[in-house]
């Protein structure tokens, strides 16, 4: 197949200082009006409305700039950023980077939505409560389970909330001291081990066999009367679907444990597989991935938590109920694990996802999965046949993949000295976002995990593969070109060694000043 012509790309490069460094005392972007005497029922200073413990001791140290300087600063930064709406974002596998319809942004930015307050009376919030309730019913159908909470603020919180429910379940059964172990797989998402560990469970991780997933015999060897449950991602980030997952679940159930399915990699399963048919007692979906709500720089996320009828009483509160006439907020739940996040969670993610699902319907969701699988397998054939130095994990034993693939640049590294991280940096020179490699531990050496979702056309995939071929060709002919990349971005090659030491990270302005002797 002939290569797609690669576009000439060079990103803007601004020597832009931090906004705090641009601050000019006395500058203002807006003038806040004095509301003294304008609050109904209050005369004089409105500060007396606030409890003393909520009042600041001093003014916040905010940068002071006029509107043109603020606008100029953030527009310059935006020109140095690559995101889903400006590039072909196939490389961020497991993140399910897909197009988020812009009409959905109009919904979440409407004052009818943004001006809602979580404490206002339910009778004045019937529209929002109806959306939450109705989308719960949709998610019950998608998962096959009986109750849903949108309170978790992301996939990690969804897994943590499931672990909390699991622990509460065995506490009420009087088996908490016995059920101390969780089983997961090493290629499941790391939070499938970290979240249960946070709740005090001992975690046992199963490693894949020659088929790309653990054997049933290995599972049976670790299941015991101590087993509280299994946390498993299926398909895992390798794109391999575990065909005996129901047998896994049955083994755990027979031992008295529960099954928790991580459905974060769900984009290739819409309308084809439900958590219920996998045997799950609980699961979670990432609305900020498969359901099109954007990640938004790692948020706002929503890990929709779905549970069986038996576990509903443990879900976070509040819940939204409907009595046949009105929707209302229910805080009652003596067995609840309590709050995982404030109020009802990230409702912007819920609203976008609700609109996305409603626009597609059941048949449309199934088409999403089929297109994602088709895109991935088309790209897989091109990459394996045309990009020198790349291979696929478990290629012979598990040749079929769903929505993504974990490749390896191990051969490229051995042949040329160019590894996955070098390829990753050089992709920036063609206008592509850096790719996702792998969670730790790196079971697949020199990993590379792209995910061509349903949003990408054949032309998009062809352009992306052409860039991979170009980089591979350069690695074999002039490896120093790849090793010294990137060239066309806002920054050049950076050494990452220091990032491993958290004490050298400056995530706030005050920390930056302290580290650089400016405080």
């Amino acid at each position: 197949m002939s290569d797609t012509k690669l576009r000439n790309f060079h990103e803007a490069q601004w020597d832009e200082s931090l906004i705090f460094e641009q601050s000019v005392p006395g500058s203002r972007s807006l003038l806040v009006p004095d509301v003294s005497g304008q609050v109904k029922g209050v005369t004089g200073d409105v500060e007396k409305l606030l409890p003393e413990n909520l009042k600041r001791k001093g003014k916040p140290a905010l940068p002071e700039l006029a509107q043109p300087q603020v606008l100029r600063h953030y527009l310059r930064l935006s020109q140095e950023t690559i995101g889903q709406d400006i590039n072909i974002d196939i490389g961020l596998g497991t993140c399910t980077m897909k197009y988020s319809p812009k009409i959905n942004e109009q919904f979440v930015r409407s004052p009818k939505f943004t001006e809602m307050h979580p404490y206002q009376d339910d009778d004045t919030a019937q529209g929002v409560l109806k959306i939450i309730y109705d989308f719960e019913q949709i998610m019950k159908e998608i998962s096959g389970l009986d109750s849903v909470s949108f309170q978790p603020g992301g996939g990690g919180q969804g897994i943590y909330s499931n672990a909390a429910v699991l622990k509460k379940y065995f506490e009420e059964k009087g088996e908490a001291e016995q059920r101390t172990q969780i089983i997961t797989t090493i290629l499941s998402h790391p939070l499938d081990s970290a979240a249960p560990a946070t709740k005090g469970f001992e975690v046992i991780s199963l490693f894949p066999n020659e088929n790309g997933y653990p054997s049933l015999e290995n599972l049976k060897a670790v299941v015991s009367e101590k087993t509280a449950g299994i946390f498993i991602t299926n398909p895992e980030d390798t794109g391999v679907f575990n065909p005996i997952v129901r047998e896994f679940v049955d083994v755990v159930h027979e031992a008295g444990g529960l099954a928790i399915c991580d459905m974060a990699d769900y984009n290739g399963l819409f309308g084809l597989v439900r958590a219920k048919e996998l045997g799950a007692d609980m699961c979670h979906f990432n609305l900020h991935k498969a359901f099109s709500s954007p990640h938004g720089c790692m948020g706002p996320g929503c890990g929709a938590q779905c549970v069986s009828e038996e576990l509903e009483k443990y879900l976070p509160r509040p819940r939204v109920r409907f009595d046949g006439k009105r929707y209302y907020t229910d805080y009652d739940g003596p067995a609840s694990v309590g709050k995982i996040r404030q109020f009802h969670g990230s409702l912007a993610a819920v609203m976008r996802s609700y609109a996305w699902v409603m626009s597609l319907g059941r048949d449309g969701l199934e088409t999403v999965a089929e297109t994602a699988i088709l895109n991935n397998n088309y790209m897989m054939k091109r990459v394996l046949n045309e990009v020198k130095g790349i291979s696929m994990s478990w290629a012979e034993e598990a040749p079929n993949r769903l929505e993504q693939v974990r490749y390896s640049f191990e051969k490229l590294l051995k042949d040329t000295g160019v590894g996955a991280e070098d390829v990753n940096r050089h992709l920036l020179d063609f206008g592509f976002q850096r790719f996702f490699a792998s969670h730790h531990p790196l079971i697949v050496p020199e990993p590379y995990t792209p995910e061509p979702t349903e949003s990408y056309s054949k032309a998009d995939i062809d352009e992306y593969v052409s860039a991979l071929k170009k980089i591979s060709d350069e690695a074999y002919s002039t490896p120093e070109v790849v090793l010294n990349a990137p060239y066309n971005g806002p920054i050049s090659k950076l050494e990452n060694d220091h990032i491993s030491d958290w004490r050298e990270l400056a995530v706030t302005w005050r920390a930056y000043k302290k580290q650089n002797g400016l405080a």
Side-chain angles (χ1 to χ4, degrees), residues 286-416:
N286 287 350
L287 300 188
H288 52 286
K289 289 176 55 176
F291 290 78
S292 94
S293 188
H295 287 60
C297 298
M298 306 307 291
C302 178
Q305 180 185 11
C306 308
V307 302
S308 64
E309 183 177 7
E310 182 182 18
L311 302 174
E312 189 278 338
K313 63 180 179 179
Y314 305 114
L315 281 177
R317 290 316 191 251
R319 302 291 310 288
V320 174
R321 311 287 191 188
F322 181 57
D323 62 11
K325 293 183 178 179
R326 65 186 288 273
Y327 302 90
Y328 63 97
T329 304
D330 179 13
Y331 283 89
D332 185 39
S336 169
V337 297
K339 283 185 175 293
I340 298 297
R341 189 174 176 175
Q342 292 178 322
F343 308 110
H344 298 291
S346 177
L347 290 190
V350 172
M351 171 73 90
R352 292 189 191 97
S353 301
Y354 172 76
W356 184 75
V357 171
M358 291 295 287
S359 70
L360 289 168
R362 189 198 182 286
D363 291 344
L365 289 177
E366 189 169 327
T367 300
V368 165
E370 292 170 344
T371 306
I373 294 171
L374 177 64
N375 276 357
N376 183 53
N377 281 270
Y378 170 72
M379 178 173 170
M380 180 178 72
K381 297 299 183 185
R382 285 209 62 192
V383 166
L384 294 177
N385 290 332
E386 302 175 41
V387 180
K388 189 177 180 182
I390 197 169
S391 62
M392 182 173 74
S393 53
W394 303 285
E396 295 183 7
E397 300 85 354
N400 300 317
R401 302 299 160 96
L402 286 176
E403 84 298 359
Q404 60 190 347
V405 178
R406 177 146 298 156
Y407 299 96
S408 172
F409 281 110
E410 184 179 26
K411 186 177 188 304
L412 186 73
L413 178 63
K414 290 179 178 178
D415 291 348
T416 69

Side-chain angles (χ1 to χ4, degrees), residues 77 83 110 180 309 389 399 424 464 482 510:
L77 294 182
S110 166
T180 59
E309 183 177 7
N424 208 348
Y464 191 85
V482 186
R510 281 186 291 182

Side-chain angles (χ1 to χ4, degrees), residues 423-481:
V423 175
N424 208 348
R425 290 196 316 274
H426 199 20
L427 274 170
L428 295 170
D429 293 322
F430 300 91
F432 298 117
Q433 175 91 287
R434 287 172 57 89
F435 63 68
F436 174 72
S438 169
H439 298 113
H440 289 276
L442 301 184
I443 302 299
V444 176
E446 297 300 313
Y448 159 51
T449 313
E451 183 181 2
T453 69
E454 78 283 359
S455 295
Y456 302 106
S457 66
K458 179 178 176 295
D460 291 337
I461 297 171
D462 288 340
E463 181 178 348
Y464 191 85
V465 172
S466 292
L468 290 176
K469 290 178 63 179
K470 173 73 170 176
I471 294 171
S472 174
D473 291 344
E474 288 178 339
Y476 279 96
S477 62
T478 50
E480 64 276 5
V481 171

